Short mmCIF file of all heavy atoms in Angstrom, two decimals:
data_model
loop_
_atom_site.label_atom_id
_atom_site.label_comp_id
_atom_site.label_asym_id
_atom_site.label_seq_id
_atom_site.Cartn_x
_atom_site.Cartn_y
_atom_site.Cartn_z
N ALA A 1 0.81 -1.22 0.00
CA ALA A 1 0.00 0.00 0.00
C ALA A 1 0.84 1.27 0.00
O ALA A 1 0.32 2.36 -0.28
CB ALA A 1 -0.92 0.01 1.22
N ALA A 2 2.12 1.17 0.30
CA ALA A 2 2.95 2.37 0.49
C ALA A 2 3.13 3.14 -0.82
O ALA A 2 3.52 2.56 -1.83
CB ALA A 2 4.30 1.98 1.05
N PRO A 3 2.87 4.45 -0.81
CA PRO A 3 3.22 5.27 -1.97
C PRO A 3 4.73 5.41 -2.07
O PRO A 3 5.47 5.10 -1.12
CB PRO A 3 2.55 6.60 -1.67
CG PRO A 3 2.44 6.65 -0.19
CD PRO A 3 2.25 5.23 0.26
N ARG A 4 5.20 5.91 -3.19
CA ARG A 4 6.64 5.97 -3.43
C ARG A 4 7.37 6.78 -2.36
O ARG A 4 8.47 6.42 -1.95
CB ARG A 4 6.90 6.57 -4.82
CG ARG A 4 8.36 6.62 -5.20
CD ARG A 4 8.54 7.08 -6.64
NE ARG A 4 7.86 6.17 -7.56
CZ ARG A 4 7.78 6.39 -8.87
NH1 ARG A 4 8.31 7.47 -9.41
NH2 ARG A 4 7.15 5.51 -9.65
N SER A 5 6.75 7.86 -1.88
CA SER A 5 7.44 8.72 -0.91
C SER A 5 7.68 8.03 0.43
O SER A 5 8.53 8.46 1.22
CB SER A 5 6.63 10.00 -0.68
OG SER A 5 5.37 9.70 -0.09
N LEU A 6 6.93 6.95 0.72
CA LEU A 6 7.10 6.24 1.99
C LEU A 6 7.82 4.91 1.82
O LEU A 6 8.08 4.22 2.81
CB LEU A 6 5.73 6.00 2.65
CG LEU A 6 4.89 7.22 2.98
CD1 LEU A 6 3.63 6.82 3.71
CD2 LEU A 6 5.66 8.25 3.79
N ALA A 7 8.10 4.55 0.58
CA ALA A 7 8.74 3.25 0.34
C ALA A 7 10.06 3.16 1.10
O ALA A 7 10.83 4.12 1.16
CB ALA A 7 8.97 3.05 -1.16
N GLY A 8 10.31 2.03 1.70
CA GLY A 8 11.55 1.83 2.45
C GLY A 8 11.45 2.21 3.91
O GLY A 8 12.34 1.89 4.69
N ARG A 9 10.35 2.91 4.29
CA ARG A 9 10.20 3.31 5.69
C ARG A 9 9.06 2.60 6.40
O ARG A 9 8.96 2.65 7.63
CB ARG A 9 9.99 4.82 5.79
CG ARG A 9 11.20 5.66 5.40
CD ARG A 9 11.00 7.09 5.88
NE ARG A 9 10.01 7.81 5.09
CZ ARG A 9 9.30 8.84 5.53
NH1 ARG A 9 9.45 9.25 6.77
NH2 ARG A 9 8.44 9.46 4.73
N VAL A 10 8.15 1.98 5.65
CA VAL A 10 6.92 1.49 6.27
C VAL A 10 7.16 0.34 7.25
O VAL A 10 6.30 0.06 8.09
CB VAL A 10 5.89 1.07 5.20
CG1 VAL A 10 5.36 2.28 4.46
CG2 VAL A 10 6.48 0.05 4.26
N ASP A 11 8.30 -0.32 7.17
CA ASP A 11 8.57 -1.38 8.14
C ASP A 11 8.65 -0.84 9.57
O ASP A 11 8.51 -1.60 10.54
CB ASP A 11 9.87 -2.12 7.79
CG ASP A 11 9.68 -3.09 6.63
OD1 ASP A 11 8.52 -3.27 6.19
OD2 ASP A 11 10.68 -3.66 6.15
N LEU A 12 8.86 0.48 9.72
CA LEU A 12 8.85 1.09 11.05
C LEU A 12 7.47 0.96 11.71
O LEU A 12 7.36 1.04 12.94
CB LEU A 12 9.21 2.58 10.95
CG LEU A 12 10.66 2.92 10.59
CD1 LEU A 12 10.78 4.41 10.29
CD2 LEU A 12 11.58 2.53 11.73
N LEU A 13 6.42 0.78 10.90
CA LEU A 13 5.06 0.72 11.42
C LEU A 13 4.70 -0.67 11.95
O LEU A 13 3.69 -0.81 12.66
CB LEU A 13 4.05 1.12 10.34
CG LEU A 13 4.21 2.52 9.73
CD1 LEU A 13 3.25 2.70 8.57
CD2 LEU A 13 3.99 3.59 10.79
N VAL A 14 5.48 -1.67 11.59
CA VAL A 14 5.12 -3.05 11.93
C VAL A 14 5.19 -3.26 13.45
O VAL A 14 6.17 -2.88 14.10
CB VAL A 14 6.05 -4.04 11.22
CG1 VAL A 14 5.72 -5.48 11.62
CG2 VAL A 14 5.93 -3.88 9.70
N ARG A 15 4.13 -3.87 13.99
CA ARG A 15 4.08 -4.16 15.42
C ARG A 15 3.04 -5.25 15.66
O ARG A 15 2.18 -5.51 14.81
CB ARG A 15 3.71 -2.90 16.21
CG ARG A 15 2.29 -2.44 16.00
CD ARG A 15 2.03 -1.11 16.67
NE ARG A 15 0.60 -0.79 16.67
CZ ARG A 15 0.11 0.41 16.91
NH1 ARG A 15 0.93 1.42 17.16
NH2 ARG A 15 -1.19 0.61 16.91
N PRO A 16 3.04 -5.90 16.83
CA PRO A 16 2.05 -6.94 17.15
C PRO A 16 0.64 -6.37 17.21
O PRO A 16 0.44 -5.18 17.50
CB PRO A 16 2.50 -7.46 18.51
CG PRO A 16 3.94 -7.09 18.61
CD PRO A 16 4.08 -5.81 17.87
N LYS A 17 -0.34 -7.22 16.96
CA LYS A 17 -1.74 -6.78 16.95
C LYS A 17 -2.20 -6.23 18.29
O LYS A 17 -3.09 -5.37 18.34
CB LYS A 17 -2.65 -7.94 16.54
CG LYS A 17 -2.63 -8.28 15.07
CD LYS A 17 -3.66 -9.37 14.78
CE LYS A 17 -3.62 -9.78 13.32
NZ LYS A 17 -4.60 -10.85 13.03
N ASP A 18 -1.63 -6.73 19.37
CA ASP A 18 -2.10 -6.31 20.69
C ASP A 18 -1.33 -5.12 21.25
O ASP A 18 -1.43 -4.81 22.45
CB ASP A 18 -2.03 -7.48 21.68
CG ASP A 18 -0.61 -8.03 21.82
OD1 ASP A 18 0.28 -7.60 21.08
OD2 ASP A 18 -0.41 -8.91 22.69
N SER A 19 -0.57 -4.43 20.42
CA SER A 19 0.19 -3.26 20.89
C SER A 19 -0.77 -2.16 21.34
O SER A 19 -1.83 -1.97 20.75
CB SER A 19 1.09 -2.73 19.77
OG SER A 19 2.04 -3.69 19.37
N PRO A 20 -0.41 -1.40 22.38
CA PRO A 20 -1.28 -0.31 22.83
C PRO A 20 -1.32 0.82 21.80
O PRO A 20 -0.35 1.03 21.06
CB PRO A 20 -0.63 0.15 24.14
CG PRO A 20 0.81 -0.26 24.01
CD PRO A 20 0.81 -1.52 23.21
N TRP A 21 -2.43 1.52 21.78
CA TRP A 21 -2.54 2.67 20.88
C TRP A 21 -1.64 3.80 21.37
O TRP A 21 -1.42 3.97 22.57
CB TRP A 21 -3.97 3.17 20.82
CG TRP A 21 -4.96 2.20 20.25
CD1 TRP A 21 -6.01 1.61 20.89
CD2 TRP A 21 -4.98 1.71 18.90
NE1 TRP A 21 -6.68 0.79 20.03
CE2 TRP A 21 -6.08 0.82 18.81
CE3 TRP A 21 -4.19 1.92 17.78
CZ2 TRP A 21 -6.41 0.16 17.63
CZ3 TRP A 21 -4.51 1.27 16.60
CH2 TRP A 21 -5.61 0.40 16.53
N THR A 22 -1.14 4.59 20.44
CA THR A 22 -0.35 5.78 20.77
C THR A 22 -1.09 7.02 20.29
O THR A 22 -2.05 6.94 19.51
CB THR A 22 1.02 5.73 20.09
OG1 THR A 22 0.84 5.83 18.66
CG2 THR A 22 1.76 4.44 20.42
N VAL A 23 -0.64 8.18 20.76
CA VAL A 23 -1.24 9.44 20.33
C VAL A 23 -1.14 9.59 18.82
O VAL A 23 -2.06 10.09 18.17
CB VAL A 23 -0.54 10.62 21.04
CG1 VAL A 23 -1.03 11.96 20.48
CG2 VAL A 23 -0.79 10.56 22.55
N GLU A 24 -0.04 9.13 18.24
CA GLU A 24 0.14 9.26 16.79
C GLU A 24 -0.76 8.31 16.01
O GLU A 24 -0.99 8.52 14.81
CB GLU A 24 1.61 9.00 16.43
CG GLU A 24 2.56 10.09 16.88
CD GLU A 24 2.85 10.10 18.36
OE1 GLU A 24 2.68 9.03 19.02
OE2 GLU A 24 3.24 11.16 18.90
N ASP A 25 -1.30 7.27 16.66
CA ASP A 25 -2.26 6.38 15.99
C ASP A 25 -3.62 7.03 15.82
O ASP A 25 -4.38 6.66 14.91
CB ASP A 25 -2.46 5.09 16.81
CG ASP A 25 -1.27 4.16 16.74
OD1 ASP A 25 -0.56 4.16 15.72
OD2 ASP A 25 -1.04 3.43 17.73
N VAL A 26 -3.97 7.96 16.70
CA VAL A 26 -5.34 8.48 16.74
C VAL A 26 -5.75 9.12 15.41
O VAL A 26 -6.83 8.83 14.89
CB VAL A 26 -5.51 9.43 17.93
CG1 VAL A 26 -6.84 10.17 17.86
CG2 VAL A 26 -5.41 8.65 19.24
N PRO A 27 -4.93 10.01 14.81
CA PRO A 27 -5.33 10.55 13.50
C PRO A 27 -5.46 9.47 12.43
O PRO A 27 -6.29 9.61 11.51
CB PRO A 27 -4.20 11.53 13.16
CG PRO A 27 -3.56 11.87 14.45
CD PRO A 27 -3.68 10.63 15.28
N LEU A 28 -4.67 8.41 12.53
CA LEU A 28 -4.76 7.33 11.55
C LEU A 28 -6.07 6.56 11.73
O LEU A 28 -6.72 6.19 10.75
CB LEU A 28 -3.56 6.38 11.69
CG LEU A 28 -2.18 7.03 11.61
CD1 LEU A 28 -1.10 5.96 11.61
CD2 LEU A 28 -2.05 7.92 10.39
N LEU A 29 -6.49 6.34 12.97
CA LEU A 29 -7.79 5.71 13.22
C LEU A 29 -8.91 6.57 12.66
O LEU A 29 -9.87 6.05 12.08
CB LEU A 29 -7.99 5.52 14.73
CG LEU A 29 -7.19 4.38 15.39
CD1 LEU A 29 -7.23 4.51 16.91
CD2 LEU A 29 -7.73 3.03 14.95
N ASP A 30 -8.78 7.87 12.83
CA ASP A 30 -9.80 8.78 12.30
C ASP A 30 -9.83 8.72 10.78
O ASP A 30 -10.91 8.73 10.17
CB ASP A 30 -9.51 10.21 12.77
CG ASP A 30 -10.73 11.10 12.64
OD1 ASP A 30 -11.66 10.94 13.45
OD2 ASP A 30 -10.76 11.93 11.70
N GLU A 31 -8.66 8.66 10.16
CA GLU A 31 -8.59 8.56 8.70
C GLU A 31 -9.22 7.25 8.21
O GLU A 31 -9.99 7.25 7.23
CB GLU A 31 -7.14 8.64 8.24
CG GLU A 31 -6.95 8.76 6.74
CD GLU A 31 -7.27 10.15 6.21
OE1 GLU A 31 -7.19 11.11 6.99
OE2 GLU A 31 -7.58 10.25 5.01
N VAL A 32 -8.90 6.16 8.88
CA VAL A 32 -9.47 4.87 8.49
C VAL A 32 -10.98 4.88 8.68
O VAL A 32 -11.73 4.36 7.84
CB VAL A 32 -8.82 3.73 9.30
CG1 VAL A 32 -9.53 2.41 9.04
CG2 VAL A 32 -7.34 3.60 8.94
N ALA A 33 -11.45 5.47 9.78
CA ALA A 33 -12.90 5.54 10.00
C ALA A 33 -13.58 6.31 8.87
O ALA A 33 -14.69 5.96 8.45
CB ALA A 33 -13.18 6.22 11.34
N GLU A 34 -12.92 7.35 8.38
CA GLU A 34 -13.48 8.12 7.27
C GLU A 34 -13.52 7.27 6.00
O GLU A 34 -14.47 7.34 5.22
CB GLU A 34 -12.63 9.37 7.05
CG GLU A 34 -13.27 10.42 6.19
CD GLU A 34 -14.37 11.20 6.91
OE1 GLU A 34 -14.57 10.99 8.12
OE2 GLU A 34 -15.03 12.02 6.24
N LEU A 35 -12.49 6.47 5.79
CA LEU A 35 -12.43 5.61 4.60
C LEU A 35 -13.41 4.45 4.68
O LEU A 35 -14.00 4.05 3.67
CB LEU A 35 -11.02 5.06 4.43
CG LEU A 35 -9.93 6.09 4.09
CD1 LEU A 35 -8.55 5.47 4.28
CD2 LEU A 35 -10.09 6.61 2.66
N LEU A 36 -13.60 3.92 5.88
CA LEU A 36 -14.52 2.78 6.04
C LEU A 36 -15.97 3.23 6.08
O LEU A 36 -16.83 2.63 5.44
CB LEU A 36 -14.18 2.01 7.32
CG LEU A 36 -12.82 1.31 7.36
CD1 LEU A 36 -12.62 0.64 8.71
CD2 LEU A 36 -12.67 0.30 6.24
N GLY A 37 -16.25 4.26 6.86
CA GLY A 37 -17.62 4.74 6.97
C GLY A 37 -18.52 3.73 7.65
O GLY A 37 -18.10 2.72 8.19
N GLU A 38 -19.81 4.05 7.64
CA GLU A 38 -20.82 3.19 8.22
C GLU A 38 -22.00 3.09 7.26
O GLU A 38 -22.08 3.85 6.28
CB GLU A 38 -21.30 3.74 9.57
CG GLU A 38 -20.19 3.82 10.61
CD GLU A 38 -20.66 4.46 11.90
OE1 GLU A 38 -21.84 4.89 11.93
OE2 GLU A 38 -19.88 4.53 12.85
N ASP A 39 -22.90 2.19 7.56
CA ASP A 39 -24.11 2.08 6.75
C ASP A 39 -24.93 3.35 6.96
O ASP A 39 -25.34 3.67 8.08
CB ASP A 39 -24.91 0.84 7.18
CG ASP A 39 -26.08 0.57 6.25
OD1 ASP A 39 -26.38 1.43 5.40
OD2 ASP A 39 -26.68 -0.51 6.37
#
């Protein structure tokens, strides 16, 4: 999924599924919620 500008850096994001949320995750959750939407 990585665009060219992020290629080579996205492995920094890899972590276990049960990792705690961070402040920097919150805008990403908001972005995903916007992309997913609801019925």
